[in-house]
């Protein structure tokens, strides 16, 4: 998935470098109240622990266009995390648990989330989520000159969502397990080799129902269980020539239970042409399994009938991009100039067709071409301390074959 859409890496505060205790609060005239707290304890030279907590509520939604509907949803969210770290010169161990509970209320102001019969009088949207996670990370270095390392990552996730959007209801439970065993070898200062094996297991249990009109009983529309079991192997080589050039090339092989074997190559290059002028380039392909209802649940809030093809395939795309960044100095100030171009070309894709019928939304496999070209140039400067000025121009060319036409 990250090979197609990109990935955000979230780094949590670590007990050894964070505050002993930190508390923050936030309030706005839009009715939002938020509080965050984290605290860390160093138990001894090796063991430490940390607690994170978050609470958020948002009520009193506005109705700026006076249509009787909330402009933004009411939100109640609580989350908690506890992590434990064991750090030694040659060994690192981390473990933790996370829990999040959230409720989002939308629709008309007359909708009452505490009254199950309110939908007789007002349209409402109610989405509840409970998510629990546990993870461990174990790693160590070894070898005559400590030029090898071994790591083992595990994670367990339980995600439970219940939702009602007017007369439509969608409930889903996902149970996931992921493990990754990694080996790293430094044969020299400029070379690094990474290799490993991974395994991912996902169990999905989905149900879509609707109330009869007039509402008397619940009518099942679709339900089912899906299991994905994906073992994989990968190897990656990194060449680093001081700070001037970095070349990363890797391949991985995954075997999907329903889609067979998938081979994924990837290459990244960073090259400093001259001091202050750097070139970055990347190319490769990626695969993604689509879960139509989970990713397009908002269509249940419309009057369209949803039609999903029975033979949906995995998504596959090739992408390539180049970026050139340079700096021009004006005394103590510098102007940053950058230009980039990226292309994503889909070999397989799930099409969302809203054009074939005004009363329906169709999901089916791509039959034709689909691509995205993006070009951007940007200039950034700080003319005086405390003032950043940015100017950018961006051009998007996005096309997809829908209903036999390239649009």
């Amino acid at each position: 998935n990250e090979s197609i859409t990109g990935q955000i890496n979230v780094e949590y505060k670590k007990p050894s470098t964070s505050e002993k205790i930190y508390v923050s609060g936030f309030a706005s005239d839009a009715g939002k109240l938020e509080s965050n707290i984290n605290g860390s304890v160093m138990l001894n030279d090796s063991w430490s622990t940390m607690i994170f907590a978050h609470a958020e509520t948002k009520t009193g939604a506005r109705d700026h266009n006076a249509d009787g509907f909330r402009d933004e949803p009411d939100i109640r969210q609580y989350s908690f995390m506890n992590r434990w770290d064991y750090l030694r010169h040659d060994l690192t161990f981390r473990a933790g648990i996370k829990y999040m509970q959230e409720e989002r209320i939308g629709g008309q102001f007359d909708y009452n989330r505490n009254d199950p019969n309110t939908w007789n009088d007002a349209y409402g949207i109610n989405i509840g989520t409970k998510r629990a996670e546990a993870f461990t990370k174990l790693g160590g270095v070894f070898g005559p000159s400590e030029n090898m390392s071994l790591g083992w990552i595990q994670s367990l996730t339980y995600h439970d969502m219940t939702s009602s959007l007017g007369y439509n209801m969608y409930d889903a439970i996902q149970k996931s397990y992921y493990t990754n065993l990694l080996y790293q070898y430094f044969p020299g200062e400029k070379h690094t080799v990474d290799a490993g094996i991974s395994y991912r297991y996902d169990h999905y249990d989905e149900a879509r129902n609707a109330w009869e009109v007039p509402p008397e009983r619940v009518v099942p529309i679709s339900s089912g269980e899906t299991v994905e079991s994906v073992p994989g192997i990968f190897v990656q080589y990194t060449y680093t020539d001081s700070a001037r050039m970095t070349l990363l090339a890797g391949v991985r092989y995954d075997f999907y239970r329903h889609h067979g074997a998938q081979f994924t190559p990837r290459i990244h290059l960073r090259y400093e042409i001259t001091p202050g002028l750097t070139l970055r380039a990347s190319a490769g392909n990626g695969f993604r399994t689509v879960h139509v209802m989970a990713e397009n649940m908002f269509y249940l809030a419309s009057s369209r009938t949803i039609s999903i093809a029975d033979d949906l395939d995995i998504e596959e795309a090739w992408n390539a991009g180049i970026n050139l960044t340079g700096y021009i100095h004006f005394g103590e100030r510098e102007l940053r100039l950058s230009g980039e171009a990226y292309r994503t070309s889909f070999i397989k894709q799930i099409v969302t067709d809203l054009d074939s019928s005004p009363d329906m939304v169709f999901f089916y496999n791509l039959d034709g071409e689909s691509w995205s070209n993006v070009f951007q140039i940007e200039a950034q400067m700080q003319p005086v301390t405390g003032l950043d000025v940015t100017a950018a121009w961006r051009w998007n060319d996005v096309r997809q074959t829908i209903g036999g036409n390239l649009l």
Side-chain angles (χ1 to χ4, degrees), residues 79-94:
S79 59
F80 171 84
M81 176 179 172
N82 178 217
R83 63 178 288 169
W84 291 79
D85 289 9
Y86 177 81
L87 302 177
R88 211 174 64 187
H89 166 67
D90 57 347
L91 183 67
T92 300
F93 173 74
R94 288 191 172 97

Side-chain angles (χ1 to χ4, degrees), residues 140-354:
V141 296
F142 60 95
S145 56
E146 295 188 342
N147 63 344
M148 291 181 282
S149 64
L150 195 64
W152 184 26
I153 299 173
Q154 294 186 98
S155 66
L156 276 169
T157 304
Y158 177 84
H159 191 103
D160 185 354
M161 182 182 71
T162 58
S163 60
S164 60
L165 301 90
Y167 293 122
N168 295 313
M169 291 174 285
Y170 173 72
D171 300 335
I173 295 176
Q174 178 184 354
K175 303 171 186 176
S176 301
Y177 172 71
Y178 175 78
T179 183
N180 194 355
L181 186 64
L182 306 101
Y183 169 78
Q184 191 173 71
Y185 175 52
F186 303 93
E189 293 183 358
K190 298 183 178 181
H191 309 278
T192 305
V193 177
D194 296 271
I197 58 176
S198 65
Y199 176 73
R200 188 177 78 247
Y201 174 87
D202 292 301
H203 180 276
Y204 303 92
D205 190 357
E206 299 175 282
R208 184 156 66 98
N209 306 307
W211 288 97
E212 281 188 333
V213 182
E216 295 175 354
R217 65 186 182 94
V218 174
V219 179
I221 295 177
S222 64
S223 63
E225 297 184 44
T226 305
V227 174
E228 284 188 358
S229 177
V230 187
I233 59 173
F234 65 92
V235 62
Q236 176 179 290
Y237 168 74
T238 305
Y239 175 79
T240 305
D241 182 7
S242 65
R244 186 173 185 182
M245 185 182 81
T246 301
L247 175 67
L248 186 153
V251 295
R252 67 173 297 126
Y253 176 92
D254 295 286
F255 188 84
Y256 289 79
R257 179 178 180 181
H258 301 290
H259 305 289
Q262 308 293 344
F263 181 73
T264 311
R266 196 80 188 160
I267 186 168
H268 297 266
L269 172 68
R270 178 192 175 276
Y271 182 72
E272 188 180 86
I273 303 171
T274 61
L277 184 62
T278 303
L279 172 72
R280 295 176 177 85
S282 63
N285 81 329
F287 300 87
R288 193 177 82 91
T289 303
V290 177
H291 299 277
V292 171
M293 283 311 309
E295 298 172 20
N296 299 276
M297 193 180 68
F298 53 89
Y299 287 118
L300 293 175
S302 75
S303 61
R304 290 177 180 259
T305 300
I306 297 175
S307 175
I308 304 174
D310 295 329
D311 60 344
L312 294 185
D313 204 346
I314 196 171
E315 287 193 330
E316 176 186 359
W318 285 87
N319 49 54
I322 188 170
N323 173 281
L324 190 64
T325 302
Y327 296 87
I328 302 174
H329 291 271
F330 296 94
E332 296 182 354
R333 306 293 177 182
E334 66 178 16
L335 172 66
R336 178 183 179 272
L337 298 172
S338 66
E340 59 186 39
Y342 288 92
R343 176 180 174 87
T344 300
S345 181
F346 280 90
I347 308 303
K348 301 176 182 178
Q349 190 180 25
I350 306 305
V351 175
T352 303
D353 185 352
L354 297 168

Side-chain angles (χ1 to χ4, degrees), residues 2-16:
E2 59 270 18
S3 299
I4 297 178
T5 61
Q7 188 179 48
I8 297 175
N9 182 35
V10 177
E11 283 287 339
Y12 289 99
K13 294 180 179 179
K14 296 177 174 59
S16 59

Side-chain angles (χ1 to χ4, degrees), residues 44 49 111 151 178 185 317:
N44 52 43
T49 185
Y111 173 70
Y178 175 78
Y185 175 52

Side-chain angles (χ1 to χ4, degrees), residues 385-407:
T385 301
L387 176 65
D388 291 312
V389 178
T390 301
W393 175 84
R394 185 180 181 94
W395 182 74
N396 296 311
D397 174 29
V398 182
R399 299 173 189 261
Q400 184 183 59
T401 303
I402 300 177
N405 299 311
L406 186 62
L407 305 176

